[in-house]
Amino acid sequence: MYQSDKIKMQLQCPMPKLDFDVITLGHGSGGILTNKLLDSGVFNILSNPILDERHDGAFINLESKTAFSTDSFLVSPIFFPGGNIGELAINGTVNDLAMCGAIPKHLSLSFIIEEGLKMSEFWEILVSIKFACEKSGVQIVTGDTKVVEKGKGDKIFINTSGIGSIHPKANINAKNINIGDKIILSGNIASHGMAIMSVREGLEFESQIQSDTINLNHTIINLIEKFGSDIHLVTDPTRGGVATVLNEIAKQINLGIEIFQKDFPIEQQVASACELLGLDPLYVANEGLFLSFVSENIAENLLQELQNDENGINAKIIGSVVKNHPKQVVLESNIGGKRVVSMLPGEQLPRIC
Amino acid sequence: MYQSDKIKMQLQCPMPKLDFDVITLGHGSGGILTNKLLDSGVFNILSNPILDERHDGAFINLESKTAFSTDSFLVSPIFFPGGNIGELAINGTVNDLAMCGAIPKHLSLSFIIEEGLKMSEFWEILVSIKFACEKSGVQIVTGDTKVVEKGKGDKIFINTSGIGSIHPKANINAKNINIGDKIILSGNIASHGMAIMSVREGLEFESQIQSDTINLNHTIINLIEKFGSDIHLVTDPTRGGVATVLNEIAKQINLGIEIFQKDFPIEQQVASACELLGLDPLYVANEGLFLSFVSENIAENLLQELQNDENGINAKIIGSVVKNHPKQVVLESNIGGKRVVSMLPGEQLPRIC
């Protein structure tokens, strides 16, 4: 870049005053700090109408309506109960496309490998990628492989980006959410995060906690086919968990969200692990779970349809959109008390996906 | 993943016998080892007709013909003479799309940041990204930001993936290359690699060697508009340099390639730096350079058009496609001798892009 370009850049884009000078792990948490970093930096500098939508993927108009999404995966450990980083990377981007109401079709695959990774581990990851692609019906069509020196990475990081065509009956947009909309959770919460944490912390239970990583595209496209534009939003509560994503939505729609603790599906041993480690399951990452915001009049039918799907057996209506307390998520606890549930303030579980 | 899935995977996809057990830096070089890793692993396991084309990006048919490309950038240092990792990441994917004959439109942007990166450095990178996007006419439409612990990354890695629509007059495909095709190099070689190396090695010259990172899309689209399907292939010799990419093409088209050392444009101080460090400039990475394989009858006209473009002032015809020595690249040296130029055997310059 020429010197004159540099000066032009500095004049046009002075850095805003921030209350941090260095980036910390909390900035990668998906919570408040991440939002601060993105708001002050990325979204501010790179603003355009498509990016500003801030959905899981971008809607772009080629000839037919298309969704485009990207995600980098750096979960540690790379192999965990229920999966590995390879299938996680495929399912993650497939699901982000599904959350746009798109049928995922083409994925890119980019590896950043730390020198010394065992070829047999790389192979196992590749094979999982192949099977995850087959399961979700996508193809890897382009890729990149890079290697960094020992100590400059951590075994393997994977980026996947994906393209899908929007289902003609889909009309997914937070702007469509109305007062009275029901919020449906597709299954048990906190399984992925606690599967990773239980390995890291060496926790042992009667049976191992398994990550819920799975492709959700077939499940979601089926719902869209049946309920079309009565589905206002689908989104997956990954990093930052259910609490963080609900906060993001409440902020975006300028309405209140009311949820009921007693309705939250959670596996017993996941709940125990959370208690043991002092973690609130509402903030723990999920990988095979999604939230739907739907018209009140179809909520029960959609719930039933979902419960008949292998990925929605434990689905429940967990709350609704209300006029009160706009931009806030209020939880009614098991004992009847109400409290505001905020966004994840810092880093809870680093390197969870 | 269920246990039965794992067993099915192992039976269907046994790992081939390889002459390496761990992945080394050389596997990221873009040379012979990278090819070995990709052939035995990635391409083998994930084979499909679009991926098998092995071009810089994938051609996918949505409604209109579309190109899709991805690249992860991990250059070290992240700021270097002539640019930084941010603009490199934009230009890199923009150029990969241009090499498909596509007009780059939409990019994704994914950061893997090492804890402790200075916010002011991140800001400078973001601003460069913004300007590089404007220069090449693309928009960032989706993204992702992750943070790893100190010592598990190296300041910042960036993945960009991009979508572009194929220019209606473009017909870029190695299969179109014929005996007699002229090979045109768009400018001086080895500038990017030597800019990085001179910083790393603390070399000082009269004036600093600058990276050639730049977006080539406007230049290439202009050529395609003027010369259409007489341009058989355009490709950018990044990692592994000119020698490696010519070898890949010779192998792919099953024809010989003849090049003339005296015709290779190179800046004097870049040549000196290469000599000092014992590096062959033919293997050094470029970022703002491309090779065109074109019909003999339009070669002189295309050369002239290119020399009138700010990105092609130093363009030269450097060789041609021949019937002899299929799959081999033969260099006629300045003193008239001929030698086979092979692919980069291992790692020459790690973390160059």
Side-chain angles (χ1 to χ4, degrees), chain A residues 1 5-6 8-9 12-16 18 20-25 27-28 37-38 40-42 44-46 48 50-51 56-58 60 62-64 66 68-72 74 82-83 87 106-113 115-120 122-124 126-131 135 139-149 151-154 157 159 161-163 239 351 353, chain B residues 1 5-6 8-9 12-16 18 20-25 27-28 37-38 40-42 44-46 48 50-51 56-58 60 62-64 66 68-72 74 82-83 87 106-113 115-120 122-124 126-131 135 139-149 151-154 157 159 161-163 239 351 353:
Chain A
M1 184 163 287
D5 278 352
K6 269 206 177 139
K8 197 174 76 184
M9 277 162 43
Q12 276 187 37
C13 309
M15 188 164 104
L18 298 170
F20 56 92
D21 293 322
V22 297
I23 290 169
T24 62
L25 278 175
H27 288 110
L37 178 64
L38 294 180
S40 63
V42 184
N44 175 6
I45 281 279
L46 304 175
N48 67 56
I50 305 176
L51 184 65
D56 291 305
I60 47 186
L62 296 165
E63 295 300 299
S64 69
T66 302
F68 178 32
S69 188
T70 191
D71 237 326
S72 288
L74 16 114
E87 60 197 294
H106 302 290
L107 259 60
S108 68
L109 176 66
S110 174
F111 297 114
I112 300 176
I113 304 173
E115 179 184 26
L117 178 73
K118 279 192 201 140
M119 189 57 206
S120 57
F122 185 56
W123 187 261
E124 191 172 339
L126 270 179
V127 172
S128 302
I129 286 173
K130 174 191 166 75
F131 277 75
K135 227 169 183 169
Q139 285 187 323
I140 303 294
V141 293
T142 189
D144 180 43
T145 304
K146 297 264 161 71
V147 182
V148 290
E149 310 93 316
K152 301 292 183 185
D154 196 8
F157 301 149
N159 175 282
S161 301
I163 300 178
R239 267 189 305 173
R351 311 272 306 276
C353 60
Chain B
M1 185 165 286
D5 279 351
K6 271 211 176 134
K8 198 175 74 183
M9 278 164 42
Q12 276 187 37
C13 309
M15 187 166 105
L18 298 170
F20 55 92
D21 292 324
V22 297
I23 289 168
T24 62
L25 278 175
H27 288 110
L37 178 64
L38 295 179
S40 63
V42 184
N44 175 6
I45 280 279
L46 303 175
N48 68 57
I50 304 176
L51 184 65
D56 291 305
I60 47 186
L62 295 166
E63 295 298 299
S64 70
T66 302
F68 179 32
S69 187
T70 191
D71 237 326
S72 288
L74 16 115
E87 59 196 293
H106 302 290
L107 258 61
S108 67
L109 176 66
S110 175
F111 297 113
I112 300 176
I113 304 173
E115 180 184 26
L117 178 73
K118 279 192 200 139
M119 190 57 204
S120 56
F122 185 55
W123 187 260
E124 192 172 339
L126 270 179
V127 172
S128 302
I129 286 172
K130 174 192 166 74
F131 277 75
K135 227 169 184 168
Q139 286 187 322
I140 303 293
V141 294
T142 189
D144 180 42
T145 304
K146 298 265 161 69
V147 182
V148 291
E149 310 93 316
K152 301 292 184 187
D154 195 10
F157 302 149
N159 176 282
S161 301
I163 300 178
R239 267 189 307 172
R351 309 272 306 276
C353 60

Side-chain angles (χ1 to χ4, degrees), chain B residues 295-344:
Chain B
S295 304
E296 199 176 355
N297 61 311
I298 60 118
E300 282 297 336
N301 288 344
L302 188 141
L303 180 67
Q304 212 158 23
E305 183 72 28
L306 192 49
Q307 285 170 339
N308 288 330
D309 186 296
E310 59 172 342
N311 295 326
I313 296 165
N314 299 309
K316 276 204 171 167
I317 296 175
I318 57 152
S320 55
V321 177
V322 296
K323 201 179 168 184
N324 294 339
H325 53 79
K327 299 192 183 183
Q328 284 194 329
V329 179
V330 171
L331 174 86
E332 192 175 304
S333 75
N334 285 341
I335 50 169
K338 284 188 177 185
R339 67 175 171 96
V340 173
V341 176
S342 64
M343 203 174 263
L344 178 65

